[in-house]
Amino acid sequence: METKDSFQEDLDDEELQELVLEAQREALAKAAEEKNHPRTYRPFPRWTFWVMAITLALSTFAIIFQIFSIPAIEFLKTSSELSKNPQVALYKEAVVVVSTGDSKGTGFSINESGTILTNYHVIEGNETVMISFPEGDMYKGTVTRTFRNIDLAVVEVRDEHLPHLKLADRTHFTDHEPITFIGNPLSFSGIANKGHVLNYIQLPDWERPVVMIKAPVYRGNSGSPVINAKGEVIGVIFATLNEEQHGKVGLFIPIDAYYDEIENM
């Protein structure tokens, strides 16, 4: 559920205009030089041009289709609607991008000093990672604890008064209880979405059961907090599964599992 880093810096109107003007100046200078020093070129086969043009068009279309597919557009619309809720907007401030250089995932702060909870598979093989908060603050985080058996990890960034989420005392839910989750799916960041809880499921090679949710979970949602109606985190998303009865479902690690590992250290 990890994706390649896709951080892009937005340009304002003045910067974009300056880039266009600079390109125009370079083009005019090049045209003047070629006029004074004409070159002799071999004829360029027209069929080669069309092959290159078609290949470029197909590649561009494939990228656009992946990023702006119908499901992606739908969860962007859902995120926009959910984010109008002041409480959801507040939750988003505590959800971070966890970057290891060649991939990214999600994490969230659980106290004001910057303790970040995420998945083990998001940080696997790294002692330090980059942590990016939505407001633009970036930190070099240190991996301090790993719980490979339940796919969780703790990263510390060491600061003060950071936004954070409240963990539930235990994982408790009712059948089809609505939940909200926030993460960095596909090439996007800070996407809020919703779904409902189904039930526990026991996975092969796992000591304890995890929880299924019916929700649009994608690559990059690893480490997303699952938040109940009280604003408490009841679990951490880590995978998806094609389940026989419910089809594609998201899976989250109950917050109880995290408490148990802490107590057993």
Side-chain angles (χ1 to χ4, degrees):
M1 289 170 55
E2 300 168 57
T3 62
K4 296 292 183 183
D5 287 330
S6 56
F7 301 109
Q8 296 183 352
E9 184 177 355
D10 294 330
L11 299 175
D12 59 31
D13 292 342
E14 292 183 1
E15 291 173 318
L16 185 59
Q17 184 177 9
E18 181 58 33
L19 287 175
V20 171
L21 291 174
E22 179 64 26
Q24 289 176 338
R25 287 194 292 267
E26 291 180 0
L28 289 173
K30 184 176 181 180
E33 181 181 354
E34 291 182 350
K35 182 177 180 180
N36 295 328
H37 302 87
R39 300 180 182 179
T40 302
Y41 296 95
R42 294 182 178 180
F44 190 76
R46 182 173 298 180
W47 65 267
T48 305
F49 168 80
W50 284 111
V51 169
M52 293 173 62
I54 293 171
T55 301
L56 179 60
L58 290 175
S59 299
T60 303
F61 178 78
I63 294 171
I64 293 175
F65 183 79
Q66 179 182 8
I67 296 177
F68 296 102
S69 60
I70 291 176
I73 292 173
E74 285 301 317
F75 74 57
L76 287 175
K77 288 169 57 179
T78 301
S79 181
S80 178
E81 288 299 317
L82 289 173
S83 298
K84 293 176 183 177
N85 182 326
Q87 198 61 47
V88 174
L90 196 62
Y91 299 155
K92 290 175 65 172
E93 293 181 6
V95 178
V96 303
V97 176
V98 182
S99 174
T100 61
D102 60 353
S103 64
K104 77 166 185 176
T106 304
F108 57 98
S109 177
I110 60 175
N111 58 38
E112 64 177 9
S113 60
T115 299
I116 309 297
L117 192 58
T118 186
N119 287 140
Y120 172 79
H121 77 258
V122 170
I123 58 87
E124 185 175 4
N126 295 272
E127 296 181 356
T128 60
V129 294
M130 290 303 300
I131 300 294
S132 304
F133 278 81
E135 294 300 317
D137 294 327
M138 299 185 67
Y139 301 86
K140 182 178 180 180
T142 302
V143 179
T144 57
R145 294 177 179 175
T146 57
F147 310 107
R148 187 172 184 176
N149 59 316
I150 57 170
D151 196 15
L152 289 180
V154 175
V155 179
E156 301 285 352
V157 299
R158 297 179 184 177
D159 203 341
E160 298 178 347
H161 310 300
L162 291 173
H164 58 282
L165 297 175
K166 180 182 179 181
L167 301 183
D169 293 332
R170 64 189 182 95
T171 301
H172 175 75
F173 55 84
T174 58
D175 184 34
H176 280 67
E177 179 176 333
I179 52 91
T180 301
F181 62 102
I182 303 167
N184 310 307
L186 304 178
S187 298
F188 304 97
S189 297
I191 299 298
N193 222 313
K194 60 184 179 179
H196 59 265
V197 183
L198 294 172
N199 208 338
Y200 284 96
I201 184 173
Q202 182 65 55
L203 300 178
D205 302 325
W206 277 65
E207 296 179 1
R208 58 188 303 155
V210 295
V211 182
M212 296 185 294
I213 55 174
K214 194 63 178 178
V217 176
Y218 296 92
R219 288 176 295 119
N221 272 126
S222 289
S224 296
V226 179
I227 306 168
N228 64 15
K230 296 180 181 179
E232 299 172 335
V233 178
I234 60 173
V236 184
I237 290 176
F238 74 102
T240 60
L241 174 72
N242 286 317
E243 203 266 339
E244 183 177 353
Q245 180 180 352
H246 301 288
K248 183 180 179 181
V249 297
L251 301 176
F252 76 77
I253 304 150
I255 206 64
D256 293 351
Y258 172 67
Y259 290 145
D260 290 345
E261 291 296 324
I262 294 294
E263 290 177 0
N264 292 331
M265 289 188 66

